[in-house]
Amino acid sequence: IAGITQAPTSQILAAGRRMTLRCTQDMRHNAMYWYRQDLGLGLRLIHYSNTAGTTGKGEVPDGYSVSRANTDDFPLTLASAVPSQTSVYFCASSDYPSGGEQFFGPGTRLTVL
Amino acid sequence: QQQVKQSPQSLIVQKGGISIINCAYENTAFDYFPWYQQFPGKGPALLIAIRPDVSEKKEGRFTISFNKSAKQFSLHIMDSQPGDSATYFCAAERGGATNKLIFGTGTLLAVQP
């Protein structure tokens, strides 16, 4: 069982380019999340999805979009990347609505130049 | 504003010592308080969690102490080992099946042999 996989592992991107970070889970969890991790700021929620077909905004949604066409996949898109989006991005999943533990992927390190 | 405040930012402990990390929260609607452990290059993983109906929860060498009136909770690592060296995040979740965690800013723990 892989749990959560993310791709790519790392990426260097020119400012203004479009980028999609991929996330796939095999635990059949209803809820999925995208966080960014920055030194001194901890983990901040970008977008979330409680069930397939629904999405919601987190703390820092500006500049990002998500879609949830099915249970397993939850891609995060940066339409026009800016240097402030340089960060490590983590995808996570959990049961919903029972809540509790969130399972995290290995992360994507993104650098926007 | 930071809804969950974590301290210290970094901590150095000798092997066999006690590591203590503190968190404070503001929103009394929070009803789930997990601690996550993150090793370099990995995603965070749930370490231990508590709900406000108890004041303490212990799992092996890890203990959460919870003070509802003070709106504070802390992680104690007894007999700290070099393998405990990691970044620790406290978090809080509001009741009502939101499944959305608010994370602290993290504590980098180094346990010296």
Side-chain angles (χ1 to χ4, degrees):
Chain A
I1 297 177
I4 295 183
T5 58
Q6 292 184 238
T9 301
S10 64
Q11 182 75 44
I12 299 174
L13 190 66
R17 297 298 295 269
R18 180 183 179 91
M19 177 73 191
T20 295
L21 308 185
R22 300 185 298 278
C23 174
T24 300
Q25 55 108 354
D26 63 3
M27 296 176 283
R28 307 304 294 172
H29 285 158
N30 285 331
M32 297 187 75
Y33 315 84
W34 275 105
Y35 294 89
R36 60 177 290 173
Q37 183 176 12
D38 303 287
L39 192 64
L41 297 176
L43 292 141
R44 293 180 292 167
L45 183 65
I46 304 171
H47 285 287
Y48 67 96
S49 169
N50 285 336
T51 58
T54 70
T55 61
K57 294 181 179 180
E59 296 176 69
V60 289
D62 294 343
Y64 306 95
S65 63
V66 292
S67 61
R68 187 86 183 279
N70 57 60
T71 297
D72 299 342
D73 301 299
F74 191 42
L76 176 73
T77 297
L78 291 67
S80 179
V82 294
S84 63
Q85 292 178 312
T86 294
S87 187
V88 181
Y89 292 86
F90 288 99
C91 179
S93 71
S94 73
D95 285 328
Y96 178 83
S98 57
E101 182 174 4
Q102 290 189 14
F103 295 82
F104 283 79
T108 294
R109 181 173 295 276
L110 181 66
T111 302
V112 183
L113 302 176
Chain B
Q1 71 280 17
Q2 190 69 36
Q3 295 191 53
V4 179
K5 296 182 179 180
Q6 183 172 347
S7 63
Q9 187 174 357
S10 62
L11 181 62
I12 299 174
V13 174
Q14 296 298 314
K15 178 182 176 182
I18 302 174
S19 304
I20 301 174
I21 305 171
N22 300 298
C23 283
Y25 64 97
E26 299 173 357
N27 190 339
T28 56
F30 290 147
D31 70 350
Y32 174 67
F33 302 90
W35 285 89
Y36 280 78
Q37 180 187 55
Q38 183 182 29
F39 293 105
K42 305 292 186 182
L46 180 67
L47 181 64
I48 187 172
I50 197 168
R51 294 196 182 269
D53 52 342
V54 296
S55 61
E56 185 176 282
K57 184 175 182 180
K58 183 176 182 179
E59 291 184 359
R61 297 184 293 108
F62 301 91
T63 299
I64 299 179
S65 296
F66 185 81
N67 186 328
K68 188 174 181 178
S69 61
K71 294 187 286 187
Q72 295 176 345
F73 58 109
S74 60
L75 176 68
H76 295 238
I77 306 174
M78 311 300 289
D79 188 25
S80 298
Q81 299 296 312
D84 297 330
S85 297
T87 299
Y88 292 82
F89 293 95
C90 63
E93 179 186 275
R94 185 171 58 86
T98 66
N99 278 33
K100 289 191 287 184
L101 290 173
I102 306 296
F103 282 87
T105 52
T107 296
L108 179 61
L109 171 66
V111 181
Q112 294 185 336

